[in-house]
Amino acid sequence: HVQLVESGGGSVQAGGSLTLSCKATGYTSDHYCMAWFRQAPGKEREGVAGIDRDGRTFYADSVQGRFSISRNYGRTTNYLDMKNLKPEDTAMYLCAAATGVVPSRLLLDATQYTIWGQETQVTVS
């Protein structure tokens, strides 16, 4: 039974940085694609960054150049480094994992993911 545990959310001033972590437990295989999504009040869930089984990354245009997704050697934890944060980055952030193959072009498609972590709030003022 795979679970995802997030940490690292908080409040920061515009221009600041935060790093979110997503640790997976109960893994039986390291063949997972992982991604981060966010949802602001009154808005739809948005894919932010994804990383496939081979380490290839994909980012939403809104965060390209500011956010970076990575994973540890054991592939059980992924990180979302967020720099130059803007007020429009304020949202609840969630990490997700997919057990199957996810084409790179679909890494930010929420329907590809079946395992979700709890939300963590990021507030930029």
Side-chain angles (χ1 to χ4, degrees), residues 58-75:
F58 195 80
Y59 300 93
D61 290 343
S62 58
V63 305
Q64 182 75 46
R66 300 188 298 120
F67 289 14
S68 176
I69 186 171
S70 61
R71 66 201 309 172
N72 68 342
Y73 181 76
R75 305 190 189 188

Side-chain angles (χ1 to χ4, degrees), residues 7-44:
S7 60
S11 298
V12 65
Q13 291 187 336
S17 302
L18 282 174
T19 297
L20 304 182
S21 300
C22 177
K23 180 175 176 57
T25 61
Y27 262 31
T28 58
S29 168
D30 62 357
H31 293 286
Y32 285 80
C33 296
M34 301 186 81
W36 286 90
F37 293 80
R38 67 186 182 188
Q39 189 163 16
K43 295 187 177 181
E44 294 187 354

